[in-house]
Amino acid sequence: MTATGILIWAVTIATGLALWRRDPPAIASGVRFAFGTLKSVLPVMILALPMAGFLTVLVPERFAAVLFGAETGLRGHLLATVVGAFIPGGPFVSFPIVLALWNSGAGAPQMVTLISAWSVLAINRVIVWEAPLMGWRFVWLRLLTGFWLPLASGLIAEALLALLPPGSIGR
Amino acid sequence: MTSPPSPPVPNLPARNGGTRSSLLVVAALSGASGLAAWAVKGSDSVVQGLAIAWGLALTILPVLGAALLLAGFVQAGIARDTISRWLGAESGFRGLAIATVAGAATPGGPMAAFPLVLALAAGGADRGALIAYITAWSLNGFQRILVWEIPILGPEFAALRFLASLPLPILAGLLARRLPPWRV
């Protein structure tokens, strides 16, 4: 297992122990929740992984570098905002797409912008869920207060990366 | 929304159709991308794509078990009514900070989060807190980070994105309080 795997298992076990000391029966409901989620996530993931593979093969080597590369600056962030806003579906669609783009040379901060745009602007979710459930007034309030967030998160990510030694996050 | 929600909207039943339609969508996308790979780059590329998928599966599966359990423990530790109690009670900057934590802790898709916002609005939570809550849920939903982002994109990227997005729900909430008043 990778270092990541070991770290996550360690955090999980520590959290489980803390929960067990505070509220032992909650452990069982946590495990039930995990299995319930696994049952719904696993089939989707099994179908989503081939898509990630095919997209990685399909997206030409330097394609994303030209559009979203680290050197594209503000233009890359703005394009990532627009593209992210229109990616439909749940994380099982967006994360494989981001992985394929990242593998073909997109910059990490630009991908932060893209994920933020997908999660905050989410044109598809607005039309299918938010407007019918919450009404357009709420949608406008949320978009007015949130339209600038994807760009902000990408630029903050860029500033954070500048503080780290080069190559600490990359593909 | 067009009219104040009263009575508070109860939790809508989670629809199984949601999962089924996700399955259909992702199956269609996988099939289409496989077909495109075959048409554009030939059958070798299909095998290559599947090999990449297999490699991903091998990295993801060991982490996924822990991630799901961790999400389950967090979920079991923070009950849904705790979240709404926190949000109803606090205003000011503290209210926004709490709304941000509560939003990130709310698991599930739009069917879980939006009805909670309606209930909170009916319960008197202010507009800034509602916006901070829903923004934090969409940007930094803890469950999504654990189940999808860390396994697929890696913990370094997930941490970078999480940190970069951390202050934003509070800023969106502050902005929402400053906009000219209208009923939400």
Side-chain angles (χ1 to χ4, degrees), chain A residues 18-87:
Chain A
L19 185 63
W20 182 68
R21 287 182 58 173
R22 210 185 64 185
D23 181 12
I27 290 287
S29 91
V31 172
R32 263 200 310 278
F33 178 89
F35 272 101
T37 314
L38 181 69
K39 267 205 303 208
S40 59
V41 163
L42 199 59
V44 180
M45 203 172 258
I46 287 171
L47 288 172
L49 288 182
M51 173 171 67
F54 295 140
L55 286 179
T56 305
V57 176
L58 267 176
V59 178
E61 185 80 17
R62 300 297 296 160
F63 171 77
V66 175
L67 296 175
F68 306 113
E71 323 73 35
T72 55
L74 197 59
R75 186 173 58 81
H77 283 290
L78 291 177
L79 186 63
T81 305
V82 175
V83 171
F86 284 96
I87 294 178

Side-chain angles (χ1 to χ4, degrees), chain A residues 81-101:
Chain A
T81 305
V82 175
V83 171
F86 284 96
I87 294 178
F92 44 84
V93 176
S94 59
F95 285 115
I97 291 177
V98 169
L99 182 69
L101 292 176

Side-chain angles (χ1 to χ4, degrees), chain B residues 10-160:
Chain B
N11 298 340
L12 300 176
R15 294 198 319 183
N16 254 335
T19 320
R20 210 174 309 134
S21 63
S22 310
L23 268 177
L24 283 177
V25 167
V26 76
L29 289 173
S30 256
S33 56
L35 209 60
W38 175 75
V40 175
K41 299 199 159 175
S43 50
D44 281 358
S45 72
V46 175
V47 177
Q48 201 189 334
L50 288 174
I52 293 172
W54 177 245
L56 266 176
L58 290 184
T59 9
I60 288 172
L61 286 177
V63 182
L64 186 65
L68 287 171
L69 276 175
L70 184 54
F73 291 155
V74 170
Q75 160 73 356
I78 308 172
R80 201 182 170 89
D81 51 333
T82 318
I83 292 179
S84 38
R85 205 165 53 234
W86 286 348
L87 278 172
E90 295 281 350
S91 57
F93 187 78
R94 218 176 117 83
L96 294 183
I98 290 173
T100 300
V101 174
T106 302
M111 282 309 284
F114 286 130
L116 194 56
V117 171
L118 287 179
L120 292 171
D126 84 291
R127 195 164 72 171
L130 295 180
I131 287 297
Y133 172 83
I134 202 72
T135 305
W137 164 78
S138 62
L139 269 178
N140 270 338
F142 196 47
Q143 193 192 4
R144 190 190 74 204
I145 294 177
L146 283 172
V147 176
W148 292 98
E149 189 169 11
I150 290 179
I152 294 183
L153 297 177
E156 297 89 359
F157 181 87
L160 174 73

Side-chain angles (χ1 to χ4, degrees), chain A residues 4-5 8 24 26 34 57 65 67 77 96 98 100 111 128 130 148 155 157-158:
Chain A
T4 310
I8 293 181
V57 176
L67 296 175
H77 283 290
V98 169
M111 293 298 96
V128 177
E130 191 170 7
W148 57 283
L155 295 179
E158 210 151 281

